[in-house]
Amino acid sequence: MLHNKKNRVYALVTAAVLCLLPFTLSYAAQTGGSALSAALSKVKMLADLTSAERNALQSAAKLHHAQAGLCLTRKGAALDRMFIVLDGEAEVRVNGEFVTALSGQFLVGEAEYLDQAPVFADVTLVEEADIIELQNDELTRLMESQPHIGYVIMRGIARIEGKRLRATTTAGK
């Protein structure tokens, strides 16, 4: 337990430093292939896609294995991608202040995809995780050419945003 807590503290300190640096992906990406296909099939918000649609989605997706401490988003930065964390934990901070924790399977960067505004929070992994990166431009082109894919993804984002909004407006009541 102490060792795990020590690793978590180290990851968060490292993350605080990394979030100050420009965002870059510093881990190996895998596009296409059976690993990405298997990962996409595990994503809950994509459950209503057919196998062919999930295969088409691979054109906009990359699979990564990320270490604890990786800063997925940095406040004020432009973001040209979304991330689906398949199973992990992250902390959300604004101006260094803890806002919330995300755990399990979750989406990061969807608000920036929707409004194309700069990132409003630092999101940092506190444990290693497999991540699907979705490139926004490629995803938009795919969603325009295959409307059912777009519908499923946008419905998934709307549900996530609805749950988050409800959680913030009912907190403390």
Side-chain angles (χ1 to χ4, degrees):
M1 177 76 168
L2 180 60
H3 180 63
N4 190 22
K5 187 174 182 180
K6 196 178 211 182
N7 286 344
R8 185 179 174 131
V9 169
Y10 175 77
L12 292 175
V13 169
T14 302
V17 172
L18 291 176
C19 280
L20 297 175
L21 302 174
F23 179 84
T24 58
L25 291 174
S26 58
Y27 44 93
Q30 179 179 7
T31 56
S34 61
L36 178 57
S37 178
L40 287 168
S41 70
K42 294 177 185 177
V43 177
K44 295 170 191 157
M45 72 179 243
L46 303 177
D48 289 338
L49 294 180
T50 66
S51 294
E53 290 168 333
R54 275 194 306 277
N55 287 339
L57 186 56
Q58 289 186 44
S59 67
K62 294 177 185 170
L63 179 62
H64 302 279
H65 183 77
Q67 298 300 313
L70 178 72
C71 187
L72 293 173
T73 65
R74 185 175 51 87
K75 184 179 179 198
L79 190 64
D80 63 352
R81 64 199 78 194
M82 287 185 284
F83 301 97
I84 301 169
V85 178
L86 294 175
D87 186 23
E89 187 175 342
E91 288 192 350
V92 179
R93 294 182 178 270
V94 175
N95 299 323
E97 295 292 319
F98 177 82
V99 175
T100 192
L102 303 171
S103 62
Q105 189 177 101
F106 55 90
L107 186 61
V108 174
E110 76 284 351
E112 292 77 13
Y113 177 75
L114 294 173
D115 66 11
Q116 299 180 342
V119 174
F120 62 91
D122 298 331
V123 177
T124 306
L125 291 177
V126 294
E127 63 184 33
E128 67 181 63
D130 289 326
I131 299 170
I132 298 172
E133 172 189 339
L134 296 171
Q135 293 293 321
N136 292 349
D137 289 344
E138 294 166 19
L139 182 62
T140 298
R141 281 192 287 279
L142 178 64
M143 290 174 17
E144 288 171 349
S145 68
Q146 296 196 38
H148 185 254
I149 293 174
Y151 169 76
V152 169
I153 291 171
M154 295 306 284
R155 183 186 63 201
I157 291 172
R159 287 179 174 162
I160 290 166
E161 291 300 304
K163 286 178 185 176
R164 289 179 181 171
L165 180 61
R166 196 172 301 108
T168 60
T169 58
T170 59
K173 291 186 181 196

